[in-house]
Every structure is written in structure tokens, then in C-alpha cells.
């Protein structure tokens, strides 16, 4: 399955930001690198919400992993699901067979955390994958189509949309849906009263964008209100049965569309010792991103818990952390081959940003904070530069330009109708 080699084998579990960046950094180095992912593409998750709301097609935010490594003779990609890990035998069990390793880097990312609420897990929509984004798009459009012929008693549930969690993903989704309601609904569904389409954002904290500055939080909340989003802060979602969302203050919101962005946890492979799994189902690592107690096993990105005095709860589960950890681990692999000691990982926080809609964004940098149109331009520039592939950058830029001048979201096709299993 994997060609034999005289080189030491590094197996990378996961082709997200961390896994892909690590493999790129080890291109043509003195290791055999085996990258394993269940998809044959890398997903640019920060723009999934635009796929979900009809602004972009899926292939704009996905890039073939094999294409990333054209010409890299030491890098091997295999599409497979990882079933379990056996650290004693240095073996990964996958759907295409067992893969042995000299070094293992776990970069499996994160998944939605429903806090053991089975009804919520079954009925809520998530936004972690391309499939999730397409499901949300289809469900929203299907509900609008159904509302045209529904009885009056069913209209509220079909037209109300609830977003739970007011972090960057929740804020961006709510803002995009509000713009869809304002600019698309009157043209595509003139029979529907767009004022009857309510978009709620639920947050248990007292503010939106809780990890950003007060200035950014206040401005983002103002932007959401101007777009007509209904914020409900300091309140939790208690239950959701697919038709009614019940909040901790006993408010009941009829809705058939509830998007969950309120919690994530590490996606930890089976077979790892329980004592290396810390808070948030994340793998505890040392200063060199090594799994505690295992020198040949590393973890990076969302699945890794790197806690320190500066970050007692671990680093944020965002792409820059994964990419910086990947570069650090790659550098230490190269140093190892030269007989040099490894260097500890140090995270450089470049800041945070989120967009709330057209001309509306907030940016927190180490040396300056700003909001509005300039912040929106900065947000777009950063995301365009981070996208993989010239084609994707070009297509996204053209889509953004067209959406801006036309006030339209062109991708409104129900290609694959959504049905709950």
C-alpha cells in the first residue's frame, strides 16, 4: 500500500491547515511523508459560510491535495479514514489497511461538540465541512420553497433561522443570511414577506465575539442589529427537536433551521491513552508539540492542547495556530536529521478578525483595532492570500466582485436536496 523506503517515515493524520502546511514544509526533505485524509481535498473552512449562503461554489473553497504536492517525490497521499492508532506497534489502522510509522503527527482537527445532547446532535445543522455547507444551503432554500405553499401555522418554523453561538462563524453566518434576506429574497421569492424571515443569533455570553476586544464586540453587535439580526445574549439553548428551539429563559422559537456553532471539541482517533486527552477532548502536548510521554508522536492544530502560563486554556482553535505549529514541527524534523536539538514552539498572535457582511468587519491586531469598510477590505485580502491555488483565489475574487456590484448571491441551486436520515 505504501512503498518501502530507506527514509524514516512521517505519517500525517489529517489534511487540514496544519497537516497540509507540515507536508509542504517537508517537501523534498530526507523523510518519507505519508499524508492521510478521508477527503482528497483541503477545505478552506473560513469561507464555508459563503458556500452555505449561496455566495460561493464548493470548489472555490476546496483544493485537491494531490495537486498541492505535484513534483514532491517524498510525499505520498492516501485517501482513507483513520480507525485507530496503536502507539506500541507504531501503526495506524485505516479503511485501506494498516500503515506503520516512525513518527506520527496527529492533525485531525475538530468536530462539533453537542455536550451529549442527542436531540440537538440529530436535528441541528453544523458547518465544519463542504457537505455541511451544501446541506445548510439546500435546507434554507427548500424551506423557502415550502413556505410558498405552506399553511399559515407552519410559516414561522419554515422562515425563522436560528444561529447558536456568536463566535466568528456564528456572526458571519448570521450576517450573510441577513444580506440574503435583504437582497435576494425580494427578487426570488416576491410572494414571501421578507419581514417574516427572522434571523436569531443565540449566545450564552454577554457579548458576541467573546474572544475579541470590547470595541470589536460592540461594533459587531451594532452591525448585526443594523442588518436586522435578532441577538439574544446571556441565554442558552436548552433543547431543539427539529421544530422548536427552547431557550434557558423559556423563550420558544419555532424553526426548522438551527445552525450550531456554539461548541467544538478535538477529533481524537481511537486507541490513544486516556491520560493524554485533556480539556475539550484535545491531546495534551509539550513545548515541542509532542504528545505528552511519546517522543515520536506529535499533535498540532485544533486537536492539540498546548497550555502554558500565557494560555492556561490552550491556544485558540484557529488556522494560524495550526500553521505555525506545523512549521515548528517541520523545522524540528529537519534539525533532527542534522543532529541538532529541537526548538520549542512559540505562538505569535497576529490578531483576530471577523466579517459581519458587506462593508462590515472588525479587526483586532496587536498594535491597532479598527472596524467598518477598511476592516472589511483587510479581511478579504487576508482570506484571498490564504486560499490555496491561483484558480481558487481568482474565482473567489470574481464572485466577491460580482456579488458586491450586483447585490446578488448567484449560487441558489438545490443540487442535492437535504434530508435528515
Amino acid at each position: 500500500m505504501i512503498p518501502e523506503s530507506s527514509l524514516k517515515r512521517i505519517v500525517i493524520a489529517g489534511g487540514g491547515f496544519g497537516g497540509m502546511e507540515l507536508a509542504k514544509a517537508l517537501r523534498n526533505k530526507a523523510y518519507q511523508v505519508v499524508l492521510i485524509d478521508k477527503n482528497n481535498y483541503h477545505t478552506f473552512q473560513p469561507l464555508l459560510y459563503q458556500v452555505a449562503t449561496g455566495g460561493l461554489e464548493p470548489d472555490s473553497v476546496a483544493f485537491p491535495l494531490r495537486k498541492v504536492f505535484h513534483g514532491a517525490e517524498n510525499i505520498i497521499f492516501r485517501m482513507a479514514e483513520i480507525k485507530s492508532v496503536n502507539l506500541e506497534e507504531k501503526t495506524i489502522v485505516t479503511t485501506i489497511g494498516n500503515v506503520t510509522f516512525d513518527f506520527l503527527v496527529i492533525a485531525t482537527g475538530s468536530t462539533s461538540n453537542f455536550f451529549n445532547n442527542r436531540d440537538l446532535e440529530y436535528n441541528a445543522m453544523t458547518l465544519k465541512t463542504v457537505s455541511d455547507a451544501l446541506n445548510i444551503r439546500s435546507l434554507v432554500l427548500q424551506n423557502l420553497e415550502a413556505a410558498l405553499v405552506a399553511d399559515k401555522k407552519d410559516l414561522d418554523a419554515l422562515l425563522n433561522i436560528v444561529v447558536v453561538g456568536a463566535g466568528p462563524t456564528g456572526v458571519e453566518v448570521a450576517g450573510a443570511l441577513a444580506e440574503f434576506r435583504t437582497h435576494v429574497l425580494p427578487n426570488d421569492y416576491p410572494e414571501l414577506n421578507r419581514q417574516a424571515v427572522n434571523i436569531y443569533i443565540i449566545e450564552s455570553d454577554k457579548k458576541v465575539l467573546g474572544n475579541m476586544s470590547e470595541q470589536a464586540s460592540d461594533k459587531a453587535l451594532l452591525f448585526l442589529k443594523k442588518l436586522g439580526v435578532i441577538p439574544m445574549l446571556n441565554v442558552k439553548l436548552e433543547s431543539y427537536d427539529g421544530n422548536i428551539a427552547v431557550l434557558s429563559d423559556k423563550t420558544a422559537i419555532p424553526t426548522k433551521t438551527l445552525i450550531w456553532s456554539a461548541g467544538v471539541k478535538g477529533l481524537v482517533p481511537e486507541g490513544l491513552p486516556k491520560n493524554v486527552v485533556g480539556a475539550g477532548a484535545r491531546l495534551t502536548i509539550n513545548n515541542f508539540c509532542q504528545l505528552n510521554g511519546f517522543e515520536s508522536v506529535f499533535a498540532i492544530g485544533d486537536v492539540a492542547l498546548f497550555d502554558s502560563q500565557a494560555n492556561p486554556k490552550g491556544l485558540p482553535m484557529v488556522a494560524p495556530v495550526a500553521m505555525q505549529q506545523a512549521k515548528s514541527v517541520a523545522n524540528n524534523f529537519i534539525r533532527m536529521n542534522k543532529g541538532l536539538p529541537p526548538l520549542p514552539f512559540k505562538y505569535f498572535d497576529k490578531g483576530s478578525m471577523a466579517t459581519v457582511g458587506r462593508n462590515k468587519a472588525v479587526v483586532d491586531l496587536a498594535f491597532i483595532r479598527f472596524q467598518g469598510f477598511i476592516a472589511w477590505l483587510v479581511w478579504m485580502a487576508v482570506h484571498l492570500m490564504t486560499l490555496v491555488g491561483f484558480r481558487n483565489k481568482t474565482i473567489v475574487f470574481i464572485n466577491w466582485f460580482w456579488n458586491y456590484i450586483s447585490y446578488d448571491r448567484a449560487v441558489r441551486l438545490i443540487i442535492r436536496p437535504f434530508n435528515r436520515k
Side-chain angles (χ1 to χ4, degrees), residues 128-142:
K128 298 291 291 181
T129 67
V130 171
S131 295
D132 289 343
L134 289 174
N135 286 340
I136 291 174
R137 182 203 294 180
S138 294
L139 180 61
V140 169
L141 294 173
Q142 286 169 216

Side-chain angles (χ1 to χ4, degrees), residues 294-339:
F294 299 90
E295 290 187 359
S296 61
V297 183
F298 301 76
I300 60 175
D302 288 1
V303 76
L305 179 63
F306 178 70
D307 55 359
S308 62
Q309 289 185 346
N311 299 280
K313 295 183 180 180
L315 294 171
M317 299 165 79
V318 293
V321 172
M323 296 170 75
Q324 289 183 39
Q325 287 178 330
K327 291 176 181 177
S328 175
V329 170
N331 183 53
N332 282 337
F333 277 132
I334 295 168
R335 291 176 62 86
M336 191 185 303
N337 255 352
K338 297 178 180 179

Side-chain angles (χ1 to χ4, degrees), residues 183-233:
H183 301 303
V184 174
L185 212 63
N187 296 320
D188 279 20
Y189 301 91
E191 303 111 301
L192 291 177
N193 175 15
R194 69 182 179 93
Q195 301 301 326
V197 179
N198 295 308
I199 298 162
Y200 299 86
I201 186 164
I202 313 298
E203 174 56 51
S204 60
D205 198 359
K206 62 182 180 181
K207 65 176 188 175
V208 302
L209 299 178
N211 291 329
M212 297 187 70
S213 66
E214 291 288 343
Q215 186 179 353
S217 175
D218 292 344
K219 199 69 173 181
L221 182 60
L222 179 63
F223 287 152
L224 286 170
K225 288 179 177 178
K226 285 185 175 180
L227 287 170
V229 175
I230 303 170
M232 303 185 72
L233 307 180

Side-chain angles (χ1 to χ4, degrees), residues 3-77:
E4 293 297 326
S5 172
S6 60
L7 301 175
K8 294 280 188 181
R9 178 183 292 173
I10 300 172
V11 173
I12 304 173
F17 285 103
M20 185 181 67
E21 192 68 30
L22 175 60
K24 285 167 62 178
L26 293 172
R27 178 193 295 266
N28 298 326
K29 304 300 181 184
Y31 289 98
Q32 184 189 58
V33 179
V34 180
L35 177 62
I36 301 174
D37 195 280
K38 66 179 180 180
N39 299 310
N40 72 338
Y41 56 85
H42 165 78
T43 303
F44 191 78
Q45 288 186 329
L47 293 182
L48 279 178
Y49 82 94
Q50 294 200 11
V51 177
T53 54
L56 294 174
E57 279 287 16
D59 63 352
S60 301
V61 300
F63 194 83
L65 283 167
R66 291 186 180 279
K67 190 172 182 179
V68 175
F69 304 110
H70 280 181
E73 296 182 0
N74 70 317
I75 297 177
I76 299 168
F77 172 74

Side-chain angles (χ1 to χ4, degrees), residues 85-124:
V85 177
N86 188 323
L87 296 184
E88 290 185 1
E89 297 182 4
K90 289 193 170 184
T91 301
I92 293 182
V93 179
T94 78
T95 50
I96 59 172
N98 295 350
V99 181
T100 59
F101 60 84
D102 295 295
F103 301 97
L104 171 64
V105 182
I106 302 172
T108 44
S110 60
T111 187
S112 297
N113 187 357
F114 296 99
F115 306 101
N116 298 317
N117 188 324
R118 297 299 182 188
D119 288 340
L120 180 61
E121 183 175 357
Y122 177 77
N123 292 301

